């Protein structure tokens, strides 16, 4: 519980920054899934947000607040765990594979221009 309105607004702004970063990270992967069906994949990602809002809304409506937050946190932790298995073609994943030669060259050119 926030002691003041200013504290609550500050915490909400911090939460919003991290939420927007997570959403951007999800949409950043969309073009790599398949170039042919980028629009369809983007639609599935967007509809996933709507499904999540319905699930969380039902959770808060039918459970007490503590149980609903535990449910929401558990879903986030479990689904975040599965992100380590994302495999983008021509890019190394978190667990296996290596980058394509063209990807390595592009990264090195980018790093060289940043110096």
């Amino acid at each position: 519980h926030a002691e003041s309105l200013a504290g609550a607004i500050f915490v909400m702004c911090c939460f919003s920054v991290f939420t927007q970063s997570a959403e951007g990270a999800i949409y950043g992967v969309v073009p790599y899934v398949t170039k042919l069906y980028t629009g369809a994949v983007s639609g599935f990602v967007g509809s996933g947000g709507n499904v999540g809002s319905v699930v969380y809304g039902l959770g808060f409506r039918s459970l007490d607040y503590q149980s609903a937050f535990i449910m929401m946190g558990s879903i986030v932790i479990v689904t975040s765990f599965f992100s380590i298995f994302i495999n983008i073609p021509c890019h190394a994943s978190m667990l296996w594979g290596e980058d394509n030669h063209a990807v390595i060259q592009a990264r090195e050119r980018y790093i060289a221009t940043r110096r």
Side-chain angles (χ1 to χ4, degrees):
H1 298 279
E3 298 283 329
S4 67
L5 179 62
I9 291 173
F10 176 75
V11 170
M12 186 62 88
C13 289
C14 291
F15 175 77
S16 177
V17 167
F18 288 108
T19 301
Q20 296 298 322
S21 299
E23 291 171 357
I26 297 300
Y27 276 103
V29 175
V30 167
Y32 294 104
V33 175
T34 175
K35 301 241 186 258
L36 185 60
Y37 300 110
T38 302
V41 172
S42 180
F44 280 119
V45 170
S47 66
N50 294 336
V51 169
S53 68
V54 169
V55 169
Y56 293 150
L58 290 174
F60 277 102
R61 189 170 200 184
S62 61
L63 301 171
D64 62 301
Y65 281 136
Q66 183 176 2
S67 299
F69 277 115
I70 289 173
M71 177 201 67
M72 186 170 27
S74 300
I75 291 171
V76 168
I77 290 169
V78 169
T79 56
S80 296
F81 170 75
F82 288 117
S83 68
I84 64 173
F85 298 110
I86 293 175
N87 186 23
I88 299 172
C90 299
H91 294 270
S93 71
M94 292 180 75
L95 301 177
W96 57 80
E98 58 186 44
D99 286 335
N100 186 323
H101 183 66
V103 172
I104 294 170
Q105 285 181 338
R107 182 174 51 232
E108 289 173 355
R109 281 193 308 271
Y110 176 76
I111 291 171
T113 61
R114 303 289 290 181
R115 290 183 189 162

